[in-house]
Amino acid sequence: MKASLCFIACLLSFSAAEQDERLPNKCEVCKFLTTELQSALDKTGRSKEVLELGEVLDTGKRRRKIQYNTSETRLTEAVDNICEGILQYRIHAERPGSLRYAKGISQTMSTLKNLVNKGVKVELGVPYELWDEPSVEVADMKRQCENMLEEYEEVVEDWYFNHQEQRLEKFLCETHVLRNSDSECLKETWKGDMGIKESAEESEKEWIEGKEGKGQTDDAGEL
């Protein structure tokens, strides 16, 4: 019974967590900006394509050739709409700090949807069809990402052409963006959520069994 009550309290607190006014800080924005940009660059890092630079109709001059994977074109293509990728993140309320931002459905939301599928009425204050929409926090991170990318455009270019021996996160975030700010979020790494998953599944099972024990299985429960 105690575990069930804890589980219900956890679920009820989820709505508040989703609407938390604690918007992403500068460290978190830089962390995920560099994650997305590095991921985009990694996809084209081994390209053997060669670009020819110069006017097509300029037959009097020899066109210059350059490797795509070291070209400005590759960087431009990677940067274009990079902050749109932020909208794929979701709030994982069961995780601490910057780790609450991750792609894919959160364990808490997965549990809530499982309850809905079992006929339990779950009220989060927003329509069910909007549960998968980006949260206020994620939308704000996208906005901050765009502003940060514009402000530090030259720094990103400097790293790309001259300092790729350094990690992008270290060069952009630690050395420039967060030079006089808190950078603790950069040290946060996720080590897996199996423990959280098992705990949530056990609590859900106990909660459902508790409803069954009270003869409430015929009607949809309400949370």
Side-chain angles (χ1 to χ4, degrees), residues 47-127:
S47 173
K48 303 296 184 181
E49 183 180 357
V50 176
L51 304 179
E52 292 189 354
L53 306 181
E55 295 295 332
V56 176
L57 300 178
D58 189 359
T59 57
K61 294 183 179 180
R62 188 174 182 179
R63 300 180 70 187
R64 184 164 61 94
K65 295 183 178 181
I66 185 172
Q67 293 291 328
Y68 172 78
N69 61 10
T70 60
S71 69
E72 184 176 357
T73 300
R74 177 184 171 224
L75 176 62
T76 300
E77 291 177 348
V79 168
D80 279 351
N81 299 317
I82 197 67
C83 295
E84 288 292 329
I86 297 295
L87 295 180
Q88 298 177 23
Y89 285 78
R90 296 292 179 265
I91 298 296
H92 292 235
E94 67 275 7
R95 302 181 184 184
S98 65
L99 302 179
R100 71 188 185 280
Y101 297 106
K103 294 183 179 180
I105 187 171
S106 70
Q107 190 58 50
T108 306
M109 184 60 79
S110 177
T111 300
L112 290 173
K113 288 187 174 183
N114 285 338
L115 288 174
V116 170
N117 292 335
K118 293 173 182 177
V120 179
K121 185 177 180 181
V122 180
E123 295 289 349
L124 292 184
V126 294

Side-chain angles (χ1 to χ4, degrees), residues 133-178:
E133 290 297 307
S135 68
V136 173
E137 285 190 50
V138 170
D140 187 75
M141 180 181 284
K142 174 185 178 286
R143 180 189 61 79
Q144 290 192 57
C145 173
E146 293 170 340
N147 293 338
M148 185 176 292
L149 194 57
E150 181 178 358
E151 181 178 354
Y152 291 93
E153 179 181 3
E154 293 183 358
V155 175
V156 172
E157 291 177 351
D158 183 30
W159 169 82
Y160 179 77
F161 292 113
N162 304 307
H163 300 284
Q164 285 199 46
E165 74 281 357
Q166 296 186 41
R167 289 188 304 111
L168 175 58
E169 181 183 88
K170 180 176 179 61
F171 186 83
L172 178 62
C173 300
E174 292 186 22
T175 307
H176 292 86
V177 177
L178 305 173

